[in-house]
Amino acid sequence: MLAIEVRGLTKAFRTYKKPPGLWGAVKGLFHRQYETVHAVKDVNFSVEEGELVGFLGPNGAGKTTTLKMLAGLLYPTSGDARVLGFTPWERADGYRRQFALLLGQKNQLWWDLPARESLELNAKIYGIARDGFERTVAEMSELLDVRDKLNVMVRELSLGERMKMELIAALLHQPKVLFLDEPTIGLDVVSQKKVREFLRHHNATRKTTILLTSHYMADIQELCQRVVIIDHGAIFFDGRLSEIIDRFADFKLVTIQCDGADRTPAASLARYGEVVEQTSASLKLKVKRERVIPVCKALLDELPVSDIDIEEVPIEEIIRQLFARGKTDGKS
Ligand SMILES: Nc1ncnc2c1ncn2[C@@H]1O[C@H](COP(=O)(O)OP(=O)(O)O)[C@@H](O)[C@H]1O
Ligand SMILES: [Mg+2]
């Protein structure tokens, strides 16, 4: 069963462009100049029930806008989406009770209340029964290691603790679909790991469908088998994370062990590839994929090689390069 179906989803923002300077401001009073930004352009994808999909893209790619449409916070300019059979922006009560949106960059809890009371207010809004509430809060705060922070004012929690409380708040009504927009942004490494483990556990035990955006590749690599990549509002990859290497990795890393590896000047190694590391006993080169075999042959011929190792470039680096490429390509 499909939990999320997105067809031709498009969102254009029309923003007022203020001309520079005072004269510009005066002119602007009479002739307003508008600019249309296509935040999301003809996006199509679908997610199976229970899937945990990574939604990736550089800043400004259209991720948050897409999630906000799927959560019914924004109307699309055109296109359609169904989540659990509902059209999100119709804002049916039946839908509201079955999904949650967590915005990592925004605070959704009451700042001036202890965390527990803030959670209680959320429970009241959703009409969640007392014992169910107590059980969920106890279980989740334990898993997230914030049980002893429930009586602390939200404003006094650390960012990591607050985000964990936000996560509990988002899950109180046991949503079937969860949209997570940068839930680990700015968190310390330990909290990031805790949140990741929690999400993995939650997805596995509750079969919650999760669409997750994150800038941390560790989140994506540990949680998502499938990723959807968006850039300039359009999707350019939808598939298994491991396929990204096949599709987009132009290089492999070749490491050789050889005595006196630092005696060969880097300049003369340039014909094989870029020297990544050179020590007295080893040499690491970034080599074009299609040249790996001939380069290995040549190295074996020319140097006293005792061992050779060929690895893929880490996926993190490939994604970083993809995004960098997107930026310099401009809006095409
Ligand atoms: N309310 C808005 N008004 C005008 N432009 C917006 C608005 N929200 C987002 N945008 C623009 O839409 C594009 C996509 O933004 P966003 O969805 O936030 O990207 P991401 O979450 O991938 O970083 C950006 O160019 C952003 O500036
Ligand atoms: Mg965003």
Side-chain angles (χ1 to χ4, degrees), residues 59-60 62-65 105 181-182 213 215:
N59 279 332
K63 303 178 298 293
T64 301
T65 304
Q105 315 238 43
D181 196 14
E182 312 271 5
T213 85
H215 274 100

Side-chain angles (χ1 to χ4, degrees), residues 38-96:
H38 278 267
V40 175
K41 288 185 286 203
D42 192 24
V43 158
N44 297 284
F45 67 90
S46 56
V47 179
E48 293 281 337
E49 239 175 39
E51 239 187 319
L52 200 174
V53 176
F55 192 35
L56 306 184
N59 279 332
K63 303 178 298 293
T64 301
T65 304
T66 303
L67 294 185
K68 282 184 173 171
M69 286 191 280
L70 294 179
L73 293 182
L74 282 177
Y75 286 92
T77 307
S78 60
D80 199 11
R82 287 291 137 77
V83 185
L84 301 168
F86 293 94
T87 302
W89 42 92
E90 285 174 0
R91 301 181 185 175
D93 198 48
Y95 180 50
R96 196 169 65 88

Side-chain angles (χ1 to χ4, degrees), residues 108-128:
Q108 289 163 299
L109 293 171
W110 280 267
W111 209 239
D112 295 313
L113 290 179
R116 174 187 290 281
E117 283 177 39
S118 196
L119 291 172
E120 268 170 27
L121 271 176
N122 274 283
K124 289 223 172 75
I125 290 170
Y126 282 99
I128 296 159

